[in-house]
Amino acid sequence: MDTVGHRKHSRYACSVGDGPLSARKLSDYDEGDAKIRPSRRGSRPRSKDRPTHESAIDAMVIAVDRGRYTCLFDGGTATSRQVHAMRARELGRKSVVVGDIVGVVGDTSGAAGSLARIVRINKRDSVLRRSADDTDPAERVIVANATHLVIVCAVANPEPRTGFVDRALVAAYAGNLSPVLCLTKIDLADPEPFAAPYRALGVTVLTRHRDEPVDAIADYLTGKLSVLFGHSGVGKSTLVNALVPEQHRQTGDVADLTGKGRHTSSSAVALALPDGGFVIDTPGVRSLGLAHVEPDQVVAAFPDLNEGAQQCPSGCTHLADAGECHLDTWVREGHGNPVRLASLRRLLASRLGQSTAT
């Protein structure tokens, strides 16, 4: 009998009790003798199903700080409580921002030192987004689920800029927010010349005198989730302190050298109004990129010009060098404001990288 046959016969003989297995020589073993027991972990099929977290409790994110999220349960009621939470790994790269309604599990008692877990982000009704500039495709969501975007501008010190307001209007309409123009420091200058063109478009205009009560603005914002948005130094934090006195938000002055405000708010935070609703104070912005907004959405944010744009030839860019753009005729006939047309064209040109001036 050959050696291989002998080994197989010896293995078989040992396996049926003809001799102890320990009596076999090392040379009698081959790979058939190895008995590999499947790992319990490896033999269990992996599931792509994720936990449904049916027990998760909905809460609103009111502050974000270095990976920790302050969530408010039962907002605006006697049982309101704040809970600190972290993101669950299963959320991946999805951002959680102020205003988000999230599902929270774990310790939701709100006790000192407790930490819950955000496992779900509910569908957003609105978003305020921005990009670094008009050609950067990467967008950043600043606030979610707000009903109103309050564009805060000072009528003087610093001077108001129509370009910024027009950009903010585009961001509001594109994100499904209702825009409101709030003009501060009206004790320094007459707000009407700046406000009139926007009021004519149907935009709500609120005004703020530094030495007068804030009752009219508070009445308008009560019951709403509003975002205060504007350049540094225009009086956003001062306005917040008047609306929610106990918050004591830090305020700052305008730099004499640059004429621009200094940043006082470092992150967005939602604050409950005394009679219901929330205001979200955001850090002052230097620029508002609109790379995420399609050109048609930009034009639609100029209702005084949009009707005229519908009469342009197909594929019209609406820029100054577009030979057959009907908007020039539209404005010349008195249907639109030439200042607004110039602002629209600056925005459209900026998206193409032709200009950044607004």
Side-chain angles (χ1 to χ4, degrees), residues 192-251:
E192 196 55 29
F194 189 82
Y198 296 104
R199 188 181 283 111
L201 299 176
V203 176
T204 299
V205 178
L206 306 174
T207 58
R208 163 71 172 153
H209 191 293
R210 283 188 287 190
D211 298 327
E212 294 180 353
V214 75
D215 296 350
I217 297 177
D219 290 343
Y220 183 85
L221 298 181
T222 295
K224 302 177 176 66
L225 178 57
S226 305
V227 186
L228 302 185
F229 194 71
H231 288 304
S232 299
V234 298
K236 286 192 293 82
S237 296
T238 301
L239 179 59
V240 169
N241 287 336
L243 292 168
V244 194
E246 65 272 16
Q247 292 301 321
H248 305 295
R249 300 289 282 175
Q250 183 180 359
T251 60

Side-chain angles (χ1 to χ4, degrees), residues 231-295:
H231 288 304
S232 299
V234 298
K236 286 192 293 82
S237 296
T238 301
L239 179 59
V240 169
N241 287 336
L243 292 168
V244 194
E246 65 272 16
Q247 292 301 321
H248 305 295
R249 300 289 282 175
Q250 183 180 359
T251 60
D253 297 323
V254 176
D256 294 332
L257 183 62
T258 64
K260 296 181 179 180
R262 301 181 177 92
H263 290 289
T264 53
S265 302
S266 59
S267 60
V269 59
L271 306 170
L273 292 169
D275 296 324
F278 292 84
V279 290
I280 301 177
D281 188 17
T282 60
V285 295
R286 298 292 190 194
S287 63
L288 177 57
L290 298 174
H292 58 282
V293 182
E294 295 298 325

Side-chain angles (χ1 to χ4, degrees), residues 96-166:
V96 180
V97 299
V98 171
D100 265 327
I101 305 299
V102 296
V104 183
V105 300
D107 189 346
T108 60
S109 65
S114 63
L115 186 64
R117 191 160 51 100
I118 297 174
V119 295
R120 181 181 65 243
I121 305 173
N122 293 358
K123 182 180 178 181
R124 294 164 172 168
D125 294 328
S126 67
V127 287
L128 176 60
R129 298 175 293 176
R130 61 173 293 197
S131 55
D133 55 50
D134 289 337
T135 59
D136 186 350
E139 65 181 59
R140 175 190 171 196
V141 178
I142 303 173
V143 171
N145 297 316
T147 58
H148 291 71
L149 177 63
V150 182
I151 308 162
V152 184
C153 291
V155 295
N157 191 34
E159 295 296 322
R161 297 168 54 189
T162 57
F164 177 78
V165 176
D166 290 340

Side-chain angles (χ1 to χ4, degrees), residues 42-43 47 61 80 93-95 102 135-136 147 150 173 183 193 244 250 261 297 312 315 334 351:
S43 62
S47 172
V61 178
S80 297
R93 294 182 176 271
K94 294 180 180 178
S95 62
V102 296
T135 59
D136 186 350
T147 58
V150 182
Y173 293 132
L183 299 178
V244 194
Q250 183 180 359
Q297 291 179 298
C312 288
R351 294 188 76 266

